[in-house]
Amino acid sequence: MYSILSKEISGYLSSLVAYITIGVFLLVLGLFLWVFPESSILEYGYAGLDSLFSTAPFIFMFLVPAVTMRSLAEERKEGTFELLATRPLTDWQIVLGKYLAALLIVLFALLPTLIYYFSVYQLGATKGNVDTGAVIGSYIGLFLLGGAFAAIGLFASAITKNQIIAFTVAVFLSFFAFSGFDSISKLLSLQTVETSITALGINEHYESISRGVLDTRDLVYFLGFIALFLVFTKTAVGGRKW
């Protein structure tokens, strides 16, 4: 598994894809945080990073699939998946190695955003007047969200050899998992089970963690969601090997 992980990381870092996607992610976040008046921190009148954590999930829907779309699709397209399948590696080692590599790229994308936190920390009318607990919870929620999207993206990459199709499928599934259940729950005929349906979506649990309260139910939800899509990916990889 470590060999797959190191191979994927070196592949990401030796190409422009990772740098461009992370650069675009930071640029768009910076524009929403400091430039656009509707979400600018300077227009809020108080020190907070609410706009960062409300905007980042929708950027992640495109960033993470852009990172994962080549993970397995490129292997199949170039014919290297057959070579990979003949090595003494189990399906789980292949899947987990590629998933952890994508997760590390997500972490690399999040780390530079800490400069926004320190900027707000210093620029407040009262220095340090930031709800640090909520910020920490929001970062944990955003990392778990990135992990969930990475699992979806890896599954999408496993079911096709076309990277564009893998990207499109991953974006759609990520958007549906994040916002789709909220929309379904608001249907008139489903108002009696609105709470139950909303709880199936990622957004409900992401917002809960972003409040700074780490509820075991939210953590179990994210871990279960990730495990489910990794099982789907492992099944797809096993089918391709046969």
Side-chain angles (χ1 to χ4, degrees):
M1 185 176 73
Y2 177 77
S3 60
I4 297 292
L5 175 61
S6 59
K7 170 182 174 293
E8 289 295 306
I9 290 294
S10 62
Y12 282 130
L13 298 182
S14 61
S15 67
L16 290 176
V17 175
Y19 298 104
I20 291 175
T21 51
I22 292 175
V24 170
F25 171 69
L26 297 175
L27 176 62
V28 173
L29 269 186
L31 290 174
F32 275 99
L33 259 67
W34 303 105
V35 179
F36 298 155
E38 296 82 4
S39 57
S40 174
I41 294 173
L42 302 177
E43 302 291 333
Y44 274 4
Y46 68 93
L49 290 173
D50 296 348
S51 57
L52 186 154
F53 297 114
S54 61
T55 304
F58 295 97
I59 303 176
F60 260 21
M61 290 179 192
F62 297 92
L63 168 71
V64 179
V67 170
T68 58
M69 66 181 184
R70 60 182 291 275
S71 297
L72 291 165
E74 187 179 45
E75 298 273 8
R76 293 185 56 225
K77 182 179 180 181
E78 296 183 355
T80 56
F81 183 80
E82 287 73 13
L83 297 176
L84 190 65
T86 58
R87 294 183 179 180
L89 294 169
T90 65
D91 292 344
W92 275 118
Q93 287 176 324
I94 295 173
V95 171
L96 290 178
K98 289 183 175 292
Y99 175 74
L100 291 177
L103 204 57
L104 282 177
I105 297 298
V106 171
L107 183 60
F108 292 159
L110 283 177
L111 286 178
T113 64
L114 290 174
I115 193 172
Y116 300 142
Y117 167 73
F118 290 113
S119 298
V120 174
Y121 186 93
Q122 296 290 335
L123 292 175
T126 302
K127 185 177 178 180
N129 187 25
V130 181
D131 189 352
T132 303
V135 171
I136 293 174
S138 297
Y139 268 110
I140 293 174
L142 201 54
F143 180 71
L144 291 172
L145 181 67
F149 288 167
I152 292 175
L154 194 62
F155 167 70
S157 183
I159 60 176
T160 178
K161 63 174 64 176
N162 188 306
Q163 295 185 35
I164 304 301
I165 295 177
F167 175 80
T168 305
V169 171
V171 170
F172 171 76
L173 291 177
S174 297
F175 177 78
F176 182 81
F178 186 79
S179 301
F181 290 99
D182 292 345
S183 301
I184 293 174
S185 68
K186 290 179 173 58
L187 294 175
L188 182 62
S189 59
L190 299 177
Q191 286 182 351
T192 55
V193 289
E194 179 178 348
T195 304
S196 300
I197 295 177
T198 302
L200 295 175
I202 295 177
N203 188 33
E204 175 79 10
H205 302 276
Y206 171 72
E207 289 184 350
S208 177
I209 293 178
S210 296
R211 300 187 189 103
V213 180
L214 293 179
D215 193 322
T216 306
R217 291 171 296 181
D218 298 322
L219 297 176
V220 169
Y221 171 85
F222 273 106
L223 294 177
F225 186 94
I226 292 169
L228 179 65
F229 271 90
L230 289 181
V231 169
F232 289 162
T233 305
K234 187 263 182 186
T235 303
V237 168
R240 297 301 181 187
K241 288 177 67 174
W242 281 106

